[in-house]
Amino acid sequence: MWSSYLCALRHGDQYVSSGSRVGRISNMIDLRALRENPEPFRASQIARGADVSLVDRILEADERRRSSLSAFETARAQQKEVSRSVGKAAAEERPAILAHAKELAAQVKELEARSNEAAVELDTLAHQFQNLIEGAPAGGEEDYVVLRHEGPAVRDFAAEGFEPADHLALGEGLDIIDVRRGVKVSGSRFYFLKGWGMRLELALMTAALDTAVKHGFTPLTTPTLVTPQIMGGTGFLGAHSDEIYYLPADDLYLTGTSEVALAGYHTDEILDLSAGPKRYMGWSTCYRREAGAAGKDTRGIIRVHQFNKAEMFSYCRPEDAADEHQRLLAMEEEMLAKVELPYRVIDTAAGDLGSSAARKFDCEAWLPTQQRYMEVTSTSNCTTFQARRLGIRERRENGTSPVATLNGTLATTRWMVAILENHQLPDGSVRVPEGLRPYLGGLEVIEAPAGA
C-alpha cells in the first residue's frame, strides 16, 4: 500500500486505500508540536522560501481527520452496543433493532470512508512539509555563511612560473581519465578511470574506510536499488525527484547516495542507543540523472551520472544530534587533511537544504583553474525527520520515540578533481598527497606512462 501511495504522490494522483486507515496518525511530522506551537514551523518555511500556508493547511487537515475519526468511533461504538442488544431483546422488538443496526452499519461505513479520506489528505500534505531548520541561515543558494578557511595555502601558480591545467587535461595527459570512450559507451557525463586513476579513487575510498573504522563505524556495502518506501522515507521524492533514476518495471530507484540505504537499514525497528549512537559507513556506487544540470560542469568528472562514495551515517538520540553533527564534520576534515587540499567550511542556507536536512555543513575545496570553491563533502543533521517516516525509534522511560539521523560524505570520486589540480607539477605530472601514498604502494608522483 505504501508503495502505491508514494507513486500516487509522485504522479500527483489522488490515492485512497482499499483497506482501513482509520486511526492512523500521520508520522511525517510531529503533529502534537505543530498543534501546540505552529510558529517555528511557519518560521522554518519562511527561512526556506517555502509555502508558509502549508502549515495552516496541515492544521486544518489534522482537525478534519481527528473530528472524522471521532465521529466514526462514536458511531461504531453505538453500532456495537445496538448489535449486542439484539440477543437480549424481545422477539417483537428484534426487527426494529436489526433495522436500526443495519442503518448504523451503513453510517459507520460512510464515516469510515470519510475518516480514511481525511487521513490520506493529511498524509499528502504532511509529506510535502520539509524538515524544521535548526540554526541554518535564512536565504537561498548564495546565502551560505563561510565559517572558516582550512588546509594549506592556495597555490600561486603564476609565482611558480606556469599556468595550471584543469583536471581533465591532466587526466588525459596522464592517461588516467578517459571521457571520450565513456561517452562512446554510455553517453554524456560518463567516463572511464584508468590505471593510476582507478587506483587513486580506490585509495581515497580505502582511506575513508580506514578512517571510519578507526572512529568506530561499522562498514557496509549497501544496495544501490531501493523501494519507494525507503526513497520516500528519506525525503528524496520531493521537488528534486527528477534527479533520481527510476525503474518502473521493478518499482525501484537507483540511489544517488548510500545515505538512502543506510537510513532504511533499521526501518520499523526499535533501537538500543543506551551505549551511544549506531554509526555506519556505506561504500557504494551512486547514480544521479543531473536533470537540472544542463550546461553546468560539462567538462570532465565534476558532475557525472555515476560515481563512487563513502558515506557516514549515524542514528542517535535527538539531544545528541548537534554534537554528532560536529563529529561527522571533524571526520570529513580529517580526510581532507590527508589529501592536503585548501578548503572552506560553509553553513548552508535554509533554502538550499534538502527536504530532510535541518542543518548542513559543506566543505568546499579550491579549484585553481576555475578560481572557485567546489563542494567535496556535505554533512546533514536530519533530526527525527527520516526516522519518523521510516518508523525508527528508541525505547525510553516514557515509551518509544523517534531517533535522530545524520549523514556525511567521507570521500567521493569528485575529490580527484581537486587533488589533480591542486597537486599538479609543471611537467603535467601530479604529486600524490602523503596521506594516500600508503594506499598506492608508496607512489609519490603520478606520471604519464612511457610513450604516452
Side-chain angles (χ1 to χ4, degrees):
M1 183 186 76
W2 182 248
S3 173
S4 301
Y5 173 53
L6 285 175
C7 288
L9 289 175
R10 182 172 61 244
H11 299 298
D13 301 327
Q14 184 179 14
Y15 175 79
V16 179
S17 168
S18 59
S20 174
R21 291 173 57 89
V22 172
R24 181 184 184 275
I25 298 177
S26 172
N27 62 357
M28 301 291 181
I29 57 177
D30 189 341
L31 287 172
R32 177 178 295 179
L34 177 60
R35 292 185 209 114
E36 292 176 352
N37 185 12
E39 290 311 311
F41 293 79
R42 293 191 180 100
S44 181
Q45 289 291 90
I46 291 171
R48 284 180 176 272
D51 182 7
V52 182
S53 70
L54 180 61
V55 175
D56 290 318
R57 285 187 284 136
I58 292 174
L59 286 169
E60 292 165 3
D62 179 46
E63 177 58 33
R64 284 192 293 273
R65 184 200 63 81
R66 288 192 294 154
S67 62
S68 63
L69 177 60
S70 176
F72 162 72
E73 290 178 338
T74 299
R76 185 171 62 173
Q78 186 180 3
Q79 178 194 17
K80 289 181 178 179
E81 184 178 347
V82 170
S83 297
R84 283 194 296 266
S85 70
V86 172
K88 302 176 183 178
E92 62 273 16
E93 296 175 336
R94 288 179 184 173
I97 295 175
L98 287 171
H100 184 39
K102 185 176 180 180
E103 292 175 0
L104 285 173
Q107 183 182 359
V108 166
K109 186 176 181 179
E110 181 181 351
L111 290 171
E112 180 183 24
R114 290 180 186 176
S115 186
N116 282 341
E117 290 174 4
V120 169
E121 178 191 16
L122 176 59
D123 279 352
T124 301
L125 290 170
H127 185 85
Q128 298 170 24
F129 194 86
Q130 301 177 77
N131 198 4
L132 281 175
I133 65 167
E134 287 194 357
E141 183 178 357
E142 301 302 321
D143 296 310
Y144 57 83
V145 174
V146 178
L147 300 179
R148 61 183 186 276
H149 289 79
E150 301 288 352
V154 171
R155 287 174 65 183
D156 184 348
F157 285 93
E160 295 182 34
F162 74 102
E163 184 75 19
D166 74 6
H167 74 282
L168 182 57
L170 290 164
E172 289 177 337
L174 296 171
D175 198 22
I176 62 174
I177 299 175
D178 193 335
V179 170
R180 184 176 63 84
R181 289 187 175 90
V183 171
K184 180 174 66 174
V185 169
S186 303
S188 64
R189 299 186 188 272
F190 285 95
Y191 58 95
F192 284 90
L193 295 181
K194 183 180 179 183
W196 286 112
M198 183 270 184
R199 294 183 65 180
L200 178 60
E201 181 191 49
L202 184 60
L204 272 168
M205 296 288 288
T206 308
L209 170 64
D210 286 350
T211 300
V213 170
K214 182 183 73 173
H215 286 278
F217 283 65
T218 300
L220 296 174
T221 301
T222 64
T224 56
L225 286 164
V226 299
T227 65
Q229 177 190 7
I230 301 302
M231 187 64 81
T234 52
F236 282 90
L237 290 184
H240 300 289
S241 59
D242 60 344
E243 296 290 332
I244 304 169
Y245 284 105
Y246 175 60
L247 283 64
D250 303 289
D251 197 21
L252 293 172
Y253 288 94
L254 278 168
T255 57
T257 168
S258 57
E259 171 196 344
V260 180
L262 293 169
Y265 188 64
H266 285 300
T267 294
D268 293 328
E269 294 182 23
I270 297 176
L271 306 183
D272 180 4
L273 299 179
S274 58
K278 287 188 175 295
R279 302 183 176 108
Y280 301 98
M281 190 216 80
W283 180 321
S284 74
T285 301
C286 306
Y287 304 89
R288 295 184 184 176
R289 291 188 63 236
E290 296 291 355
K296 296 179 181 178
D297 294 320
T298 56
R299 180 173 166 80
I301 62 171
I302 294 178
R303 195 182 293 267
V304 291
H305 293 309
Q306 176 183 327
F307 55 94
N308 289 313
K309 185 164 71 153
E311 182 80 359
M312 300 177 287
F313 199 89
S314 178
Y315 297 87
C316 72
R317 290 175 170 169
E319 62 268 28
D320 298 331
D323 288 341
E324 187 72 359
H325 201 189
Q326 292 297 323
R327 180 188 180 97
L328 298 188
L329 177 59
M331 289 178 62
E332 291 177 340
E333 295 193 68
E334 181 180 335
M335 271 296 297
L336 286 168
K338 288 182 186 294
V339 295
E340 304 169 36
L341 292 178
Y343 68 94
R344 68 182 184 183
V345 182
I346 67 167
D347 193 352
T348 307
D352 198 30
L353 296 175
S355 62
S356 59
R359 195 172 193 184
K360 180 164 75 82
F361 301 119
D362 288 350
C363 293
E364 299 181 328
W366 178 250
L367 279 190
T369 61
Q370 297 188 27
Q371 292 291 292
R372 69 174 178 95
Y373 286 94
M374 175 191 71
E375 177 196 326
V376 286
T377 80
S378 177
T379 177
S380 298
N381 178 5
C382 296
T383 60
T384 61
F385 184 85
Q386 294 175 331
R388 286 181 181 280
R389 293 174 168 224
L390 295 171
I392 307 169
R393 298 155 290 157
E394 180 194 13
R395 192 178 305 281
R396 305 186 77 162
E397 293 181 1
N398 298 322
T400 62
S401 58
V403 303
T405 61
L406 302 96
N407 62 80
T409 312
L410 206 50
T412 187
T413 307
R414 181 185 285 192
W415 286 34
M416 293 176 59
V417 174
I419 291 172
L420 293 176
E421 292 202 8
N422 282 281
H423 294 302
Q424 63 182 290
L425 300 173
D427 63 356
S429 60
V430 173
R431 173 184 167 271
V432 176
E434 290 188 15
L436 295 183
R437 291 177 187 176
Y439 302 96
L440 292 168
L443 182 73
E444 296 183 5
V445 177
I446 299 176
E447 298 176 306

